[in-house]
Amino acid sequence: RAPRDALPYLQRAATLEPDNVAYLAELGAAQLRCAKLGDATYTLERVLELDATHQSALLNLGNCFAHRGDDARSIALYERANELGGGAHAVALRNLGSAYHRVGRYDDAQRALRKLLA
């Protein structure tokens, strides 16, 4: 319920500052949690136009595509997020391992999950 309650405030903030990456990333994440996949995709793509290395936007956009069954696009986004390392590296590896498994790339899934445990 909290993401749904936050949506009007996040939308207002993003309207007032349409190039504020932090506001847009939070809005996209809330839209994703509310299953507003089209809105979330649009918002997160805008974040990546402004900052192509925004790790949470890469991961959340990957999740949007995963929910739609577009594993190729989700894998590409998870791989980009993984290459960046940093704070969300573990999430990127977990998502990547799951996506590889869904498409039958079992060796890649195993490698990703082993890196996660290392």
Side-chain angles (χ1 to χ4, degrees):
R1 181 177 161 139
R4 188 166 308 283
D5 293 340
L7 275 177
Y9 301 102
L10 292 168
Q11 288 167 332
R12 178 75 175 139
T15 299
L16 292 172
E17 294 189 44
D19 292 336
N20 186 310
V21 171
Y23 292 163
L24 290 168
E26 285 299 319
L27 175 59
Q31 291 167 326
L32 174 61
R33 287 191 298 272
C34 293
K36 295 179 174 284
L37 298 180
D39 292 340
T41 299
Y42 176 83
T43 302
L44 295 165
E45 286 177 340
R46 176 69 180 134
V47 172
L48 294 174
E49 286 174 11
L50 296 168
D51 178 1
T53 64
H54 197 285
Q55 214 170 21
S56 69
L58 288 165
L59 292 169
N60 284 324
L61 187 56
N63 292 340
C64 286
F65 288 119
H67 285 299
R68 292 180 167 158
D70 190 340
D71 290 312
R73 288 179 81 179
S74 69
I75 287 171
L77 289 158
Y78 297 151
E79 286 174 340
R80 281 177 51 199
N82 180 52
E83 290 167 4
L84 295 172
H89 183 65
V91 175
L93 284 171
R94 183 195 67 210
N95 291 2
L96 200 48
S98 295
Y100 284 149
H101 188 268
R102 277 193 309 274
V103 298
R105 292 174 57 181
Y106 302 117
D107 290 340
D108 291 330
Q110 190 174 49
R111 268 191 294 283
L113 296 173
R114 280 194 176 145
K115 284 181 187 176
L116 177 62
L117 297 174

